[in-house]
Amino acid sequence: MIRIGHSTDTHRLEPGYRLLIGGVRIPHVKGSVGHSDGDCLLHTVCESLIGALSLGDLGSLFPDTSEEFRGINSSLLVRKVMEKIIERGYHVVNIDSTVYLERPKLQQYIPQIRENIASLLHIEPEFVSVKATTGERVGIIGREEAIMTESVVLVSND
């Protein structure tokens, strides 16, 4: 059986925070605000996996009211979710993600982001798609107030 999961997430961008995207530190004057390390992309990776198997949502598994998860590395959250996927007899077939961010440009970081996500999901990088686009200076993305990400994942138990 194959199952599909989807997720969208948005985080505020503010000075004084780190910008982590897909587990990769991106140098920038603003960073992503979040209860964990603020890695918006890994949050949608997690939640798309959670959705594929109808396990709830990111907040139900890792509440932002819990001190246990304050500042946690989002890669650890992905690993915990992958344990649940594997326990249920599933594996990731492929994942497609989009990052909406006005600045900085991400093209040079995308290969490293893909490698990192592939490692976390136990698949080859060729099955990880990461695209980046801007807001064309329109809305919260274009005004550099926020980062938004989307992920769609396909899992299978065959």
Side-chain angles (χ1 to χ4, degrees), residues 2 4 14 24 30 34 44 71 84 95 103 119-120 129 132 156:
I2 58 170
I4 297 170
E14 293 185 7
V24 176
K30 291 183 178 181
T44 60
K84 293 178 182 301
I95 188 161
R103 284 186 321 121
S119 174
L120 290 168
S129 172
S156 177

Side-chain angles (χ1 to χ4, degrees), residues 63-146:
D64 65 4
T65 54
S66 170
E67 285 303 311
E68 177 185 359
F69 303 115
R70 181 176 301 283
I72 194 168
N73 181 326
S74 294
S75 293
L76 295 175
L77 301 179
V78 176
R79 286 187 183 109
K80 288 177 184 273
V81 171
M82 280 302 296
E83 288 174 7
K84 293 178 182 301
I85 299 296
I86 293 166
E87 284 170 6
R88 285 162 176 77
Y90 283 83
H91 65 275
V92 175
V93 176
N94 73 304
I95 188 161
D96 183 23
S97 300
T98 304
V99 178
Y100 301 86
L101 182 69
E102 194 68 23
R103 284 186 321 121
K105 300 293 186 192
L106 298 179
Q107 197 60 41
Q108 71 183 39
Y109 303 103
I110 286 178
Q112 187 179 358
I113 293 168
R114 289 179 64 212
E115 289 276 344
N116 190 55
I117 292 172
S119 174
L120 290 168
L121 300 184
H122 311 291
I123 58 177
E124 294 299 317
E126 69 183 280
F127 301 110
V128 177
S129 172
V130 176
K131 304 170 303 294
T133 191
T134 70
E136 298 293 333
R137 300 190 317 259
V138 176
I140 61 173
I141 303 301
R143 290 189 303 268
E144 301 181 46
E145 297 170 6

Side-chain angles (χ1 to χ4, degrees), residues 29-49:
V29 296
K30 291 183 178 181
S32 181
V33 178
H35 181 72
S36 65
D37 62 6
D39 192 325
C40 195
L41 179 55
L42 288 187
H43 294 174
T44 60
V45 168
C46 276
E47 198 160 61
S48 64
L49 290 164

